[in-house]
Amino acid sequence: MDIYVLILPLLIGWILDKLLGDPVGLPHPVVGFGKLISFCEERWNCGAHRMLKGGGAAIMLILLVYVGSALALHYLFLLNRWLGIALSAVLVFYCLAGTTLIREVKQVFLAADRSLEEGRKQVSRIVGRDTSELTDQEVRIAALETLAENLSDGVIAPLFWYLLLGVPGMLAYKMVNTLDSMVGYKNERYLQFGCAAAHIDDMANYIPARLTALLMVLSVGRPGLLRFVGKYGNRHASPNSGYPESALAGILNCRFGGPHVYFGEIVYKPFIGDKDRLIHTQDMHKAVDINRRAEILMIIVNIVCLYLVS
Protein backbone atom coordinates (compact mmCIF):
# COMPACT_ATOMS: atom_id res chain seq x y z
CA MET A 1 0.00 0.00 0.00
CA ASP A 2 1.12 3.55 -0.76
CA ILE A 3 2.92 4.94 2.29
CA TYR A 4 1.14 8.30 1.90
CA VAL A 5 -2.27 6.65 2.23
CA LEU A 6 -1.16 5.34 5.62
CA ILE A 7 0.83 8.26 7.02
CA LEU A 8 -0.94 11.36 5.64
CA PRO A 9 -4.30 10.71 7.36
CA LEU A 10 -2.48 10.00 10.61
CA LEU A 11 -0.44 13.20 10.53
CA ILE A 12 -3.30 15.43 9.32
CA GLY A 13 -5.73 14.03 11.90
CA TRP A 14 -3.20 14.37 14.70
CA ILE A 15 -2.34 17.96 13.75
CA LEU A 16 -6.06 18.81 13.61
CA ASP A 17 -6.44 17.47 17.16
CA LYS A 18 -3.50 19.60 18.30
CA LEU A 19 -5.04 22.68 16.71
CA LEU A 20 -8.73 22.21 17.46
CA GLY A 21 -9.40 19.58 20.12
CA ASP A 22 -12.88 18.06 20.17
CA PRO A 23 -15.06 19.63 17.44
CA VAL A 24 -17.78 21.20 19.60
CA GLY A 25 -21.02 21.72 17.66
CA LEU A 26 -20.10 19.31 14.86
CA PRO A 27 -21.43 15.75 14.42
CA HIS A 28 -19.21 13.26 16.24
CA PRO A 29 -19.06 9.48 15.60
CA VAL A 30 -18.94 8.75 19.33
CA VAL A 31 -22.32 10.46 19.77
CA GLY A 32 -23.69 8.11 17.16
CA PHE A 33 -22.05 5.16 18.91
CA GLY A 34 -23.72 6.22 22.15
CA LYS A 35 -27.14 6.31 20.50
CA LEU A 36 -26.65 2.82 19.06
CA ILE A 37 -25.57 1.49 22.46
CA SER A 38 -28.55 3.12 24.18
CA PHE A 39 -30.90 1.66 21.56
CA CYS A 40 -29.61 -1.85 22.21
CA GLU A 41 -29.45 -1.46 25.98
CA GLU A 42 -33.00 -0.16 26.32
CA ARG A 43 -34.39 -3.12 24.37
CA TRP A 44 -32.19 -6.01 25.47
CA ASN A 45 -31.11 -5.23 29.04
CA CYS A 46 -34.18 -6.90 30.50
CA GLY A 47 -35.53 -10.33 31.29
CA ALA A 48 -33.38 -13.45 31.14
CA HIS A 49 -29.99 -14.02 29.50
CA ARG A 50 -28.83 -10.43 29.93
CA MET A 51 -25.17 -11.40 29.83
CA LEU A 52 -25.63 -13.23 26.53
CA LYS A 53 -27.65 -10.38 25.04
CA GLY A 54 -25.13 -7.80 26.23
CA GLY A 55 -22.23 -9.76 24.76
CA GLY A 56 -24.07 -10.21 21.48
CA ALA A 57 -24.87 -6.51 21.30
CA ALA A 58 -21.25 -5.52 22.01
CA ILE A 59 -19.80 -7.83 19.36
CA MET A 60 -22.43 -6.81 16.83
CA LEU A 61 -21.79 -3.09 17.32
CA ILE A 62 -18.00 -3.44 17.19
CA LEU A 63 -18.19 -5.48 13.97
CA LEU A 64 -20.73 -3.07 12.51
CA VAL A 65 -18.38 -0.13 13.02
CA TYR A 66 -15.30 -1.96 11.77
CA VAL A 67 -16.84 -3.58 8.68
CA GLY A 68 -19.02 -0.58 7.83
CA SER A 69 -16.13 1.90 7.99
CA ALA A 70 -13.77 -0.43 6.14
CA LEU A 71 -16.24 -0.84 3.26
CA ALA A 72 -17.06 2.88 3.14
CA LEU A 73 -13.39 3.85 3.01
CA HIS A 74 -12.58 1.14 0.47
CA TYR A 75 -15.18 2.41 -2.00
CA LEU A 76 -14.32 6.04 -1.34
CA PHE A 77 -10.65 5.35 -2.14
CA LEU A 78 -11.73 3.64 -5.35
CA LEU A 79 -13.78 6.71 -6.24
CA ASN A 80 -11.08 9.26 -5.40
CA ARG A 81 -7.85 8.68 -3.53
CA TRP A 82 -7.71 12.19 -2.05
CA LEU A 83 -11.29 12.03 -0.84
CA GLY A 84 -10.36 8.79 0.93
CA ILE A 85 -7.33 10.40 2.54
CA ALA A 86 -9.40 13.43 3.59
CA LEU A 87 -12.14 11.35 5.23
CA SER A 88 -9.55 9.12 6.91
CA ALA A 89 -7.81 12.19 8.33
CA VAL A 90 -11.09 13.56 9.70
CA LEU A 91 -11.87 10.21 11.34
CA VAL A 92 -8.40 10.08 12.91
CA PHE A 93 -9.05 13.58 14.24
CA TYR A 94 -12.36 12.46 15.75
CA CYS A 95 -10.72 9.43 17.41
CA LEU A 96 -7.99 11.38 19.23
CA ALA A 97 -8.70 13.25 22.46
CA GLY A 98 -5.29 14.43 23.59
CA THR A 99 -5.79 18.18 23.31
CA THR A 100 -9.24 18.25 24.90
CA LEU A 101 -8.02 16.06 27.76
CA ILE A 102 -5.15 18.44 28.53
CA ARG A 103 -7.48 21.46 28.36
CA GLU A 104 -9.91 19.85 30.81
CA VAL A 105 -7.18 18.96 33.30
CA LYS A 106 -5.73 22.47 33.11
CA GLN A 107 -9.19 23.88 33.80
CA VAL A 108 -9.51 21.69 36.91
CA PHE A 109 -6.31 23.12 38.38
CA LEU A 110 -7.23 26.70 37.44
CA ALA A 111 -10.64 26.22 39.07
CA ALA A 112 -9.13 24.61 42.17
CA ASP A 113 -6.73 27.54 42.48
CA ARG A 114 -9.77 29.83 42.69
CA SER A 115 -11.87 27.76 45.11
CA LEU A 116 -12.50 24.22 46.26
CA GLU A 117 -16.11 24.30 45.07
CA GLU A 118 -15.07 25.36 41.57
CA GLY A 119 -12.45 22.62 41.51
CA ARG A 120 -15.01 20.00 42.51
CA LYS A 121 -17.42 21.19 39.84
CA GLN A 122 -14.76 21.22 37.13
CA VAL A 123 -13.30 17.81 37.93
CA SER A 124 -16.80 16.28 37.84
CA ARG A 125 -16.67 16.82 34.06
CA ILE A 126 -13.89 14.27 33.60
CA VAL A 127 -14.35 11.66 36.36
CA GLY A 128 -17.12 9.21 37.12
CA ARG A 129 -16.88 9.45 40.90
CA ASP A 130 -18.82 11.66 43.30
CA THR A 131 -16.85 14.90 43.64
CA SER A 132 -19.07 16.76 46.11
CA GLU A 133 -16.93 15.95 49.14
CA LEU A 134 -13.46 15.82 47.62
CA THR A 135 -10.72 17.79 49.31
CA ASP A 136 -8.52 20.17 47.33
CA GLN A 137 -5.80 17.54 47.08
CA GLU A 138 -8.27 14.84 46.03
CA VAL A 139 -9.55 17.11 43.26
CA ARG A 140 -6.05 17.62 41.92
CA ILE A 141 -5.09 13.96 42.25
CA ALA A 142 -8.31 12.91 40.49
CA ALA A 143 -7.42 15.17 37.57
CA LEU A 144 -3.90 13.76 37.29
CA GLU A 145 -5.14 10.17 37.52
CA THR A 146 -7.58 10.92 34.71
CA LEU A 147 -4.85 12.58 32.66
CA ALA A 148 -2.69 9.45 32.87
CA GLU A 149 -5.50 6.97 32.31
CA ASN A 150 -6.97 8.86 29.38
CA LEU A 151 -3.60 9.32 27.74
CA SER A 152 -3.91 5.58 27.20
CA ASP A 153 -7.63 5.44 26.36
CA GLY A 154 -7.85 8.67 24.39
CA VAL A 155 -4.53 8.80 22.53
CA ILE A 156 -2.14 5.85 22.71
CA ALA A 157 -4.75 3.09 22.33
CA PRO A 158 -6.44 4.66 19.27
CA LEU A 159 -2.99 5.14 17.69
CA PHE A 160 -2.08 1.54 18.54
CA TRP A 161 -5.20 0.23 16.82
CA TYR A 162 -4.58 2.53 13.87
CA LEU A 163 -1.17 0.91 13.52
CA LEU A 164 -2.70 -2.58 13.57
CA LEU A 165 -5.98 -2.12 11.69
CA GLY A 166 -6.04 1.36 10.20
CA VAL A 167 -8.91 3.80 10.55
CA PRO A 168 -11.55 1.01 10.88
CA GLY A 169 -9.57 -0.43 13.80
CA MET A 170 -9.36 2.99 15.40
CA LEU A 171 -13.13 3.47 15.09
CA ALA A 172 -13.85 -0.04 16.37
CA TYR A 173 -11.69 0.74 19.41
CA LYS A 174 -13.71 3.90 20.05
CA MET A 175 -16.88 1.78 19.99
CA VAL A 176 -15.27 -0.62 22.49
CA ASN A 177 -14.31 2.31 24.72
CA THR A 178 -17.77 3.90 24.44
CA LEU A 179 -19.45 0.59 25.30
CA ASP A 180 -17.34 0.29 28.44
CA SER A 181 -17.99 3.88 29.50
CA MET A 182 -21.75 3.45 29.09
CA VAL A 183 -22.53 -0.12 30.20
CA GLY A 184 -19.31 -1.49 31.70
CA TYR A 185 -20.22 -0.74 35.32
CA LYS A 186 -20.49 -3.31 38.10
CA ASN A 187 -23.83 -2.11 39.40
CA GLU A 188 -27.27 -3.68 39.43
CA ARG A 189 -28.33 -2.35 36.04
CA TYR A 190 -25.19 -3.18 34.04
CA LEU A 191 -23.46 -6.02 35.90
CA GLN A 192 -24.71 -8.69 33.51
CA PHE A 193 -25.48 -6.75 30.35
CA GLY A 194 -22.17 -4.85 30.34
CA CYS A 195 -19.95 -7.72 31.49
CA ALA A 196 -18.74 -8.63 27.98
CA ALA A 197 -18.22 -4.98 27.02
CA ALA A 198 -16.02 -4.44 30.08
CA HIS A 199 -13.92 -7.53 29.33
CA ILE A 200 -13.53 -6.58 25.67
CA ASP A 201 -12.35 -3.13 26.76
CA ASP A 202 -9.84 -4.71 29.14
CA MET A 203 -8.44 -6.82 26.29
CA ALA A 204 -8.36 -3.93 23.82
CA ASN A 205 -6.41 -1.79 26.30
CA TYR A 206 -4.06 -4.46 27.65
CA ILE A 207 -1.09 -3.66 25.41
CA PRO A 208 -1.81 0.10 24.97
CA ALA A 209 -1.92 0.71 28.75
CA ARG A 210 1.48 -0.86 29.26
CA LEU A 211 2.84 0.82 26.15
CA THR A 212 1.60 4.16 27.53
CA ALA A 213 3.53 3.63 30.75
CA LEU A 214 6.65 2.73 28.77
CA LEU A 215 6.35 5.83 26.58
CA MET A 216 5.84 8.07 29.62
CA VAL A 217 8.93 6.69 31.31
CA LEU A 218 11.00 6.98 28.12
CA SER A 219 9.76 10.54 27.59
CA VAL A 220 11.57 11.65 30.76
CA GLY A 221 14.63 9.49 30.16
CA ARG A 222 14.25 7.49 33.37
CA PRO A 223 14.00 3.79 32.39
CA GLY A 224 14.67 2.81 36.00
CA LEU A 225 11.08 3.88 36.77
CA LEU A 226 9.88 0.75 34.97
CA ARG A 227 10.59 -1.10 38.23
CA PHE A 228 8.20 1.30 39.98
CA VAL A 229 5.57 0.66 37.29
CA GLY A 230 6.08 -3.07 37.67
CA LYS A 231 5.58 -2.79 41.43
CA TYR A 232 2.44 -0.64 41.43
CA GLY A 233 0.88 -1.11 37.99
CA ASN A 234 -1.13 -4.19 38.93
CA ARG A 235 -2.50 -2.75 42.16
CA HIS A 236 -5.34 -0.88 40.47
CA ALA A 237 -8.83 -2.39 40.38
CA SER A 238 -8.59 -2.14 36.60
CA PRO A 239 -6.13 -4.53 34.93
CA ASN A 240 -4.88 -1.62 32.80
CA SER A 241 -5.40 1.79 34.39
CA GLY A 242 -2.75 1.25 37.04
CA TYR A 243 0.10 1.21 34.54
CA PRO A 244 -0.11 4.76 33.15
CA GLU A 245 -1.13 6.02 36.61
CA SER A 246 1.87 4.36 38.24
CA ALA A 247 4.17 5.79 35.56
CA LEU A 248 2.93 9.31 36.31
CA ALA A 249 3.05 8.77 40.07
CA GLY A 250 6.64 7.58 39.76
CA ILE A 251 7.68 10.50 37.59
CA LEU A 252 6.03 13.04 39.90
CA ASN A 253 7.12 11.17 43.04
CA CYS A 254 3.58 11.28 44.47
CA ARG A 255 0.79 8.90 45.46
CA PHE A 256 -2.51 8.11 43.72
CA GLY A 257 -5.44 5.93 44.78
CA GLY A 258 -7.37 5.68 48.03
CA PRO A 259 -11.13 5.62 48.71
CA HIS A 260 -13.54 7.09 46.12
CA VAL A 261 -17.34 7.27 45.87
CA TYR A 262 -18.98 5.85 42.72
CA PHE A 263 -22.77 5.90 42.39
CA GLY A 264 -23.19 6.25 46.15
CA GLU A 265 -20.82 3.40 47.03
CA ILE A 266 -17.34 3.77 48.53
CA VAL A 267 -14.67 2.02 46.45
CA TYR A 268 -11.27 1.54 48.08
CA LYS A 269 -8.48 1.73 45.53
CA PRO A 270 -5.01 0.57 46.57
CA PHE A 271 -2.45 3.33 46.80
CA ILE A 272 -0.11 3.71 43.84
CA GLY A 273 3.18 5.07 45.13
CA ASP A 274 4.28 5.75 48.69
CA LYS A 275 5.11 9.47 48.65
CA ASP A 276 2.09 11.20 50.21
CA ARG A 277 2.91 14.80 49.32
CA LEU A 278 0.92 17.85 48.30
CA ILE A 279 0.11 18.22 44.61
CA HIS A 280 0.67 21.67 43.13
CA THR A 281 -0.11 23.36 39.83
CA GLN A 282 3.46 22.86 38.63
CA ASP A 283 2.87 19.11 38.90
CA MET A 284 0.03 19.49 36.42
CA HIS A 285 2.28 21.36 34.00
CA LYS A 286 4.89 18.62 34.27
CA ALA A 287 2.25 15.92 33.74
CA VAL A 288 0.91 17.72 30.66
CA ASP A 289 4.43 17.92 29.24
CA ILE A 290 4.85 14.18 29.82
CA ASN A 291 1.58 13.48 28.01
CA ARG A 292 2.66 15.52 25.01
CA ARG A 293 6.06 13.85 24.84
CA ALA A 294 4.55 10.36 25.08
CA GLU A 295 2.07 11.24 22.35
CA ILE A 296 4.82 12.45 20.02
CA LEU A 297 6.81 9.28 20.68
CA MET A 298 3.77 7.18 19.72
CA ILE A 299 3.30 9.16 16.52
CA ILE A 300 6.95 8.50 15.66
CA VAL A 301 6.52 4.80 16.42
CA ASN A 302 3.49 4.67 14.11
CA ILE A 303 5.25 6.46 11.26
CA VAL A 304 8.35 4.26 11.49
CA CYS A 305 6.33 1.02 11.67
CA LEU A 306 4.01 2.05 8.84
CA TYR A 307 7.00 2.97 6.70
CA LEU A 308 8.65 -0.37 7.36
CA VAL A 309 5.56 -2.44 6.47
CA SER A 310 4.53 -0.40 3.42
Side-chain angles (χ1 to χ4, degrees):
M1 184 180 289
D2 192 332
I3 186 64
Y4 298 108
V5 171
L6 297 171
I7 292 180
L8 271 181
L10 174 65
L11 285 177
I12 295 170
W14 178 65
I15 291 170
L16 285 174
D17 177 62
K18 295 299 101 188
L19 295 174
L20 304 175
D22 274 350
V24 178
L26 295 178
H28 199 295
V30 172
V31 175
F33 295 170
K35 290 180 179 179
L36 286 172
I37 294 166
S38 294
F39 178 87
C40 294
E41 193 268 336
E42 289 169 3
R43 284 155 182 78
W44 297 341
N45 189 15
C46 57
H49 310 298
R50 294 191 189 193
M51 190 175 295
L52 181 63
K53 289 186 285 188
I59 293 170
M60 177 190 71
L61 290 173
I62 295 164
L63 288 176
L64 175 67
V65 169
Y66 181 80
V67 175
S69 60
L71 288 174
L73 286 169
H74 173 72
Y75 287 112
L76 187 59
F77 270 104
L78 290 178
L79 179 66
N80 185 288
R81 181 187 185 197
W82 291 105
L83 281 177
I85 289 174
L87 178 59
S88 297
V90 170
L91 291 174
V92 169
F93 164 55
Y94 277 127
C95 288
L96 295 176
T99 297
T100 298
L101 169 64
I102 287 172
R103 286 177 184 169
E104 290 288 341
V105 170
K106 283 184 174 181
Q107 288 300 315
V108 170
F109 275 77
L110 289 173
D113 286 342
R114 291 191 296 269
S115 75
L116 175 57
E117 198 54 43
E118 286 191 53
R120 288 170 173 170
K121 183 178 180 180
Q122 192 67 36
V123 80
S124 69
R125 292 164 50 90
I126 59 173
V127 300
R129 71 191 73 164
D130 180 9
T131 64
S132 62
E133 297 184 6
L134 294 183
T135 65
D136 175 79
Q137 282 299 294
E138 288 170 340
V139 165
R140 295 171 190 271
I141 288 172
L144 292 182
E145 288 174 341
T146 300
L147 182 68
E149 183 179 348
N150 284 281
L151 172 62
S152 177
D153 292 353
V155 180
I156 305 302
L159 290 173
F160 173 82
W161 286 104
Y162 181 89
L163 182 60
L164 290 188
L165 298 171
V167 172
M170 211 177 196
L171 287 168
Y173 170 77
K174 293 303 288 187
M175 173 57 86
V176 169
N177 201 236
T178 308
L179 276 161
D180 181 63
S181 67
M182 290 183 65
V183 302
Y185 296 103
K186 294 180 180 180
N187 56 24
E188 184 177 352
R189 178 172 177 174
Y190 297 122
L191 181 61
Q192 294 185 56
F193 186 82
C195 179
H199 284 301
I200 293 171
D201 184 76
D202 288 342
M203 290 186 288
N205 282 296
Y206 186 87
I207 294 175
R210 289 151 181 81
L211 177 59
T212 301
L214 173 62
L215 293 171
M216 293 170 77
V217 168
L218 292 178
S219 74
V220 295
R222 296 169 61 189
L225 282 175
L226 291 174
R227 290 192 296 271
F228 184 92
V229 173
K231 178 180 179 181
Y232 289 103
N234 62 358
R235 295 191 181 185
H236 199 283
S238 161
N240 300 316
S241 298
Y243 288 89
E245 287 188 19
S246 62
L248 185 57
I251 293 168
L252 296 180
N253 192 27
C254 67
R255 188 176 75 177
F256 295 152
H260 305 304
V261 178
Y262 290 89
F263 302 104
E265 297 182 5
I266 298 178
V267 176
Y268 291 92
K269 293 185 177 182
F271 287 112
I272 294 176
D274 53 16
K275 182 71 171 180
D276 184 17
R277 69 169 183 84
L278 294 179
I279 298 296
H280 303 286
T281 300
Q282 62 255 35
D283 293 305
M284 176 271 291
H285 290 301
K286 185 174 182 179
V288 164
D289 183 55
I290 292 162
N291 266 43
R292 287 174 172 156
R293 292 186 192 184
E295 189 173 339
I296 291 170
L297 283 176
M298 187 61 184
I299 289 291
I300 293 171
V301 168
N302 272 40
I303 291 173
V304 171
C305 290
L306 290 171
Y307 179 80
L308 291 175
V309 301
S310 65

